[in-house]
């Protein structure tokens, strides 16, 4: 329940450690979000290292970045194939990969964590990185739903810890939610706002409350669509068509759930339900739980509510 309390006063930095310009970024997790964050950071001149658990995943992440860059340059360099190739190469030169997070962070100004939505795993990673990273390094999580202050509690750099919440697909979505806890220093918060702008994104300032702004509205909407379907009040296809054509959404709620990842959606709901089981908006869905138990995570696994090639 403490998480529901708004923190209106942000502590100004009492630390002697000053933030420096962000040049090198470590992205922990090379999945959908980590690869996208690495891509936009590298495209805007930052040197980026993506860290994941094995080289196969990292190779897939770099391939994903290359594929996405090819889509980006189609518009950016429409009739200039050589300039397009040169841009892709220059961005890829800014990206390196590693499975050794502790050694990478020794040279990093910023860490952006985008691993599985699990508090204990995130805390474990940050606890280890805190010992390895220089004092000036800012730590951030891209969590969809977990309290930033809970993740930060595994470290001794509470004033240099915040949230940077990106949206999927990162190269296309213009928003970044910048989250400060009651302990995040103003200097750190300003660095995160400036970093988001340097990526070409529009930041909004958020309190450390469940789902920040977007997910607090978007996740209950997706869940209510699933419950509507479970009650037999509409096929998923009709619900998707209805929200696209009747409300102007680019994707219907089932398409969007598959796009986000049904595992991630379930982790979010389970966490919120554990926090506030009385809230009807946080009631779990049997259908969602069944799909996840069957390994149907959406687009990333080839099947979710729909099948993908
Ligand atoms: N990389 C680069 N370019 C991409 C891309 C990617 N990953 N995905 C799409 N694009 C580009 C395409 O190349 C295409 O460019 P052109 O217009 O130049 O051809 C353009 O985007 C449109 O793509 P498509 O024609 O394939 O499809 P679309 O028009 O449906 O757009 C979309 C795709 C941008 C993803 C759009 O469907 C959309 O905005 N969907 C909603 C996404 C959304 O709501 N995201 C938030 C999810 S919630 C979240 O992220 C938070 C959380 O914590 C869970
Ligand atoms: P994903 O499953 O696509 O990728 C997660 C990656 O993290 C995997 O490659 C996995 O191997 C790696 N990983 C797991 N544990 C690790 C560890 N200890 N060290 C290094 N790498 C590790 O997930 P995703 O969709 O990219 O989501 C990542 C985070 O971003 C989650 O916290 C999620 O809630 C959040 N998020 C997701 C979306 C979305 O739409 N998918 C949007 C915004 C935020």
């Amino acid at each position: 329940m403490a998480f529901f309390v708004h923190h209106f006063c942000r502590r100004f930095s009492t630390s002697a450690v000053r933030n420096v310009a962000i040049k090198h970024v470590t992205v922990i997790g090379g999945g959908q979000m980590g690869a996208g964050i690495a891509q936009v950071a590298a495209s805007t001149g930052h040197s980026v290292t993506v860290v994941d658990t094995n080289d196969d995943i990292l190779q897939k992440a770099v391939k994903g970045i290359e594929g996405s860059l090819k889509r980006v340059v189609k518009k950016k360099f429409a009739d200039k194939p050589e300039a397009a190739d040169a841009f892709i190469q220059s961005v890829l030169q800014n990206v390196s990969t590693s499975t050794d997070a502790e050694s990478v962070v020794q040279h990093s100004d910023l860490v952006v964590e985008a691993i599985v939505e699990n508090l204990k795993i995130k805390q474990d990673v940050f606890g280890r990185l805190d010992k390895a990273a220089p004092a000036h390094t800012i730590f951030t999580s891209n969590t969809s739903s977990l309290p930033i202050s809970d993740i930060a509690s595994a470290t001794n750099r509470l004033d240099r810890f915040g949230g940077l919440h990106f949206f999927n697909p990162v190269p296309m979505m213009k928003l970044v939610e910048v989250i400060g806890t009651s302990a995040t220093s103003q200097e750190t918060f300003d660095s995160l706002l400036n970093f988001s702008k340097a990526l070409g994104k529009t930041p909004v300032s958020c309190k450390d409350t469940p789902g920040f702004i977007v997910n607090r509205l978007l996740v209950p909407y997706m869940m209510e669509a699933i419950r509507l379907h479970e009650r037999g009040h509409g096929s998923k296809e009709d619900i998707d068509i209805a929200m696209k054509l009747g409300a102007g959404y680019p994707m219907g709620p089932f398409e969007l759930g598959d796009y986000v990842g049904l595992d991630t959606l379930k982790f979010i709901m389970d966490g919120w339900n554990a926090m506030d089981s009385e809230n009807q908006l946080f009631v779990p869905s049997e259908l969602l739980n069944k799909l996840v138990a069957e390994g149907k995570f959406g687009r990333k696994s080839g099947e979710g509510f729909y099948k993908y090639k």
Side-chain angles (χ1 to χ4, degrees):
M1 284 305 282
F3 187 37
F4 284 85
V5 177
H6 286 237
H7 300 293
F8 285 108
C9 54
R10 178 168 305 115
R11 196 174 356 117
F12 282 74
S13 180
T14 50
S15 157
V17 180
R18 297 204 67 78
N19 295 134
V20 299
I22 292 167
K23 293 185 183 132
H24 184 272
V25 182
T26 298
V27 178
I28 312 283
Q32 318 186 76
M33 295 306 292
I37 295 164
Q39 180 183 327
V40 293
S43 300
T44 48
H46 301 88
S47 152
V48 185
T49 306
V50 185
V51 176
D52 211 302
T53 48
N54 69 60
D55 286 328
D56 287 347
I57 298 176
L58 288 167
Q59 269 178 26
K60 203 174 146 205
V62 173
K63 256 192 143 38
I65 292 174
E66 203 173 344
S68 174
L69 284 170
K70 284 182 182 157
R71 298 174 80 176
V72 171
V73 295
K74 263 194 196 161
K75 202 178 273 172
K76 201 173 158 109
F77 302 99
D79 298 317
K80 296 176 189 149
E82 281 169 15
D85 278 351
F87 176 74
I88 292 175
Q89 288 320 313
S90 73
V91 174
L92 290 176
Q93 270 170 17
N94 286 342
V95 180
S96 57
T97 60
S98 174
T99 52
D100 183 358
E102 273 111 316
S103 64
V104 175
V105 294
Q106 288 170 27
H107 312 287
S108 267
D109 307 309
L110 174 71
V111 173
V112 184
E113 168 273 313
I115 65 168
V116 62
E117 188 73 346
N118 178 298
L119 179 62
K120 287 214 159 44
I121 300 177
K122 287 185 195 283
Q123 285 176 330
D124 175 62
V125 166
F126 277 118
R128 284 188 287 113
L129 296 187
D130 192 34
K131 295 184 182 75
H136 80 272
T137 309
I138 298 175
F139 284 5
T140 64
S141 175
N142 181 51
T143 178
S144 299
S145 65
L146 298 167
I148 300 293
S149 54
D150 284 2
I151 304 172
S153 68
T155 72
N156 287 315
R157 60 180 79 213
L158 302 188
D159 57 328
R160 282 150 287 141
F161 206 117
L164 277 180
H165 186 221
F166 291 84
F167 293 83
N168 191 13
V170 183
M172 299 304 300
M173 306 305 279
K174 296 276 179 229
L175 184 71
V176 178
E177 292 179 326
V178 178
I179 302 111
T181 70
S182 58
T184 308
S185 73
Q186 191 63 45
E187 196 182 356
T188 296
F189 195 78
D190 291 344
S191 292
L192 297 179
L193 286 175
N194 289 335
F195 175 68
S196 307
K197 289 178 195 159
L199 299 184
K201 303 292 185 195
T202 301
V204 289
S205 303
C206 293
K207 306 292 176 195
D208 191 16
T209 54
F212 317 123
I213 296 174
V214 172
N215 281 348
R216 185 62 182 78
L217 300 172
L218 195 59
V219 173
Y221 150 73
M222 282 193 274
M223 292 304 297
E224 193 51 20
I226 300 170
R227 291 187 206 106
L228 188 103
H229 173 56
E230 283 177 312
R231 289 195 298 268
H233 293 175
S235 70
K236 50 187 192 294
E237 290 81 2
D238 279 350
I239 296 170
D240 276 348
I241 290 172
M243 292 313 292
K244 283 189 286 188
L245 302 189
Y249 286 27
M251 289 176 168
F254 294 93
E255 292 170 328
L256 186 58
D258 276 358
Y259 197 69
V260 164
L262 300 186
D263 51 341
T264 299
L265 197 53
K266 176 175 158 49
F267 292 142
I268 295 172
M269 280 324 285
D270 288 352
W272 288 356
N273 184 252
M275 215 157 32
D276 183 2
S277 60
E278 301 293 308
N279 192 330
Q280 290 304 302
L281 293 175
F282 301 161
V283 172
S285 145
E286 269 181 37
L287 174 58
L288 178 65
N289 290 350
K290 179 174 171 288
L291 289 169
V292 173
E294 290 168 356
K296 294 174 182 162
F297 298 157
R299 273 182 191 253
K300 64 182 168 188
S301 71
E303 186 171 351
F305 290 112
Y306 299 110
K307 286 190 175 159
Y308 302 89
K309 283 189 186 143

